[in-house]
Amino acid sequence: QLSISRIHIQAAGVAGPVDFDYDYAGVEIDGDRVILYNEESCRVYSLDGHLKFQGQFDFSVSCVRSGKNHGNSLIVAGSEVMKEIKLK
């Protein structure tokens, strides 16, 4: 797992460091958000560094992607489980 506490985001004219304390194994950039995840949880940040979602899971996570509507859900997958998480 990667363990860094600062990530630099530069996209669509938005740039700056984002500080956080989270050990992640994977990262996805989807439009205006950054998805960080590890085997048991995930976090979603906006490009300006605001935490939009954080969640713990009761199964081992291998992949997290945007859902059908890109802004409204996440697909969280493990070896035997796939769940769609609705975002507010």
Side-chain angles (χ1 to χ4, degrees):
Q1 287 187 351
L2 300 173
S3 180
I4 61 174
S5 60
R6 180 172 281 238
I7 189 168
H8 189 83
I9 299 171
Q10 183 174 5
V14 177
V18 176
D19 292 316
F20 58 91
D21 182 20
Y22 182 69
D23 290 331
Y24 62 94
V27 61
E28 294 291 324
I29 298 175
D30 177 45
D32 63 348
R33 61 187 179 180
V34 177
I35 304 167
L36 304 172
Y37 61 93
N38 60 36
E39 285 189 359
E40 56 197 29
S41 66
C42 86
R43 289 186 180 183
V44 178
Y45 290 89
S46 64
L47 288 179
D48 60 4
H50 290 95
L51 181 63
K52 305 300 269 181
F53 171 81
Q54 65 180 4
Q56 293 282 123
F57 305 108
D58 59 356
F59 59 93
S60 182
V61 174
S62 59
C63 178
V64 178
R65 300 283 189 269
S66 286
K68 295 182 275 186
N69 299 324
H70 288 280
N72 298 339
S73 67
L74 295 174
I75 301 295
V76 181
S79 61
E80 298 180 17
V81 178
M82 185 179 296
K83 292 185 178 183
E84 182 173 19
I85 308 294
K86 301 259 184 201
L87 302 176
K88 292 182 180 183

